[in-house]
Amino acid sequence: MAASFDSKTPLILTLGEPAGVGPEIIGKAWAATSSEAPFAVIGDARLLAARGVPVVEIGAPSDAPAVFARGLPVLHHPAPAPVEPGRPDPRNAPVVADWIERGVALVLAGEGSALVTAPIAKAPLYAAGFRFPGHTEFIAELTADAPYAGTRGPVMMLTARDLRACLVTIHVALDQVPELITAERVSRTARVVHETLKRDFGIARPRLALAALNPHAGEGGAIGLQEITILTPAAEALRAEGIDITDPRPADTMFHDAARATYDAAICLYHDQALIPVKTLDFWGGVNATLGLPIIRTSPDHGTGFDIAGKDVARPDSLIAAIRLAATMAAARGSQ
């Protein structure tokens, strides 16, 4: 039986880029989940109220469960500059980072059970001096000194329906991928995923499928050697550690229905190898989760949507799925 979510410790949700679709989809997600796991939003309460959401300002996350069914609980943390949908203002970039930092601190302190992050816009953050590629790396640094009994990530996992696709490399040019595929990177990713599936998904004996780099898994070396020199030896070493992982499989045969039934997570080597099957399976409802951290963190698998911000057409499917996944992972971790 799956562990139940402790509703006394809410999820923490950060508002993300205030000029994007975050305020809109957060309101819609609250309306769709108001009878489920409660969450508290860190951000500007005025922006959420302007979307017609019944907002309840709270003083601490512990106040959220009591009011969640009748209003969206918000830890009011105002944006310094006026917000116009679709037009990010660099003056608000520092507070976007502050919202994330505050959310991480609350979860580390045990006041929140997991962190769910709405999308951010990198360009205004970079203009304001933000020195991280994105959410994942920032959160990894913010949690670097916190105790963690496991293999450290961060590892990016994308989920859709019954697929969990975990990445060895992420946002790098395709011509850089081969040199970044090392036994150490593959092994660390597999260890993080194996431990996460046990701890945060309640899977006692996780099964991992390793994707090959080259077409047809290299055809015995005729179409590339990485499967022979790097991937197969890494898989053999991982099996010797007790991790159930396949030898490298041709990626074009890994993601159909019957294939997905044979494993609990796929270890993918580069961005599109994971993202194409995830978005094909469920374009609107995919979730990004960061593994190998002292806290649970999920986010919707889409961006800020500046082109549709403020038009009340943004779909909340991915954020709703991210909230539900965070609650499921927090329940599993909390039951141990």
Side-chain angles (χ1 to χ4, degrees), residues 155 166-168 184-193 267:
V155 168
C166 307
L167 287 159
V168 176
E184 188 279 329
R185 280 195 176 93
V186 171
S187 298
R188 181 181 65 84
T189 302
R191 292 186 191 106
V192 169
V193 175
I267 307 299

Side-chain angles (χ1 to χ4, degrees), residues 31-326:
T33 64
S34 58
S35 62
E36 300 180 31
F39 57 84
V41 179
I42 300 175
D44 195 320
R46 299 166 300 183
L47 297 177
L48 292 156
R51 300 297 189 276
V53 182
V55 168
V56 180
E57 291 190 35
I58 58 174
S62 58
D63 299 331
V67 304
F68 192 71
R70 62 181 174 86
L72 176 62
V74 181
L75 294 158
H76 182 50
H77 193 144
V83 175
E84 182 180 351
R87 297 183 179 274
D89 190 326
R91 292 175 295 174
N92 286 326
V95 81
V96 172
D98 290 345
W99 293 337
I100 300 166
E101 190 166 358
R102 185 177 176 187
V104 169
L106 287 171
V107 179
L108 284 175
E111 295 185 59
S113 59
L115 182 69
V116 182
T117 58
I120 57 174
K122 296 181 177 64
L125 283 167
Y126 295 157
F130 190 73
R131 60 184 179 84
F132 301 92
H135 260 127
T136 299
E137 296 81 3
F138 185 37
I139 294 170
E141 174 146 321
L142 291 173
T143 59
D145 295 330
Y148 181 62
T151 305
R152 283 270 179 174
V155 168
M156 182 183 288
M157 178 180 76
L158 289 307
T159 69
R161 287 172 42 187
D162 60 348
L163 173 61
R164 304 180 186 96
C166 307
L167 287 159
V168 176
T169 68
I170 308 174
H171 296 120
V172 297
L174 193 57
D175 62 1
Q176 296 175 22
V177 169
E179 65 188 64
L180 295 174
I181 300 302
T182 64
E184 188 279 329
R185 280 195 176 93
V186 171
S187 298
R188 181 181 65 84
T189 302
R191 292 186 191 106
V192 169
V193 175
H194 173 81
E195 293 167 10
T196 299
L197 292 177
K198 293 178 70 175
R199 181 188 59 242
D200 297 338
F201 289 86
I203 300 173
R205 296 178 180 83
R207 303 163 300 162
L208 308 183
L210 177 61
L213 177 65
N214 296 297
H216 302 178
E219 286 277 16
I223 319 177
L225 296 173
Q226 287 88 351
E227 287 73 22
I228 295 172
T229 61
I230 298 170
L231 298 175
T232 297
E236 291 172 346
L238 287 164
R239 288 194 291 270
E241 297 176 16
I243 294 175
D244 182 354
I245 186 168
T246 68
D247 284 337
R249 294 179 175 180
D252 63 351
T253 62
M254 278 184 58
F255 299 109
H256 61 86
D257 292 350
R260 295 197 310 276
T262 67
Y263 58 82
D264 300 300
I267 307 299
C268 300
L269 303 184
Y270 56 93
H271 183 275
D272 286 7
Q273 195 175 63
L275 271 291
I276 289 173
V278 165
K279 293 191 175 185
T280 300
L281 280 173
D282 190 353
F283 183 79
W284 299 108
V287 177
N288 173 11
T290 307
L291 313 184
L293 299 180
I295 67 170
I296 292 164
R297 179 259 173 158
T298 68
S299 72
D301 184 27
H302 61 70
T304 52
F306 288 135
D307 58 327
I308 59 171
K311 298 179 180 178
D312 197 31
V313 296
R315 292 180 56 152
D317 310 45
S318 187
L319 180 59
I320 292 169
I323 290 167
R324 288 172 174 161
L325 179 62

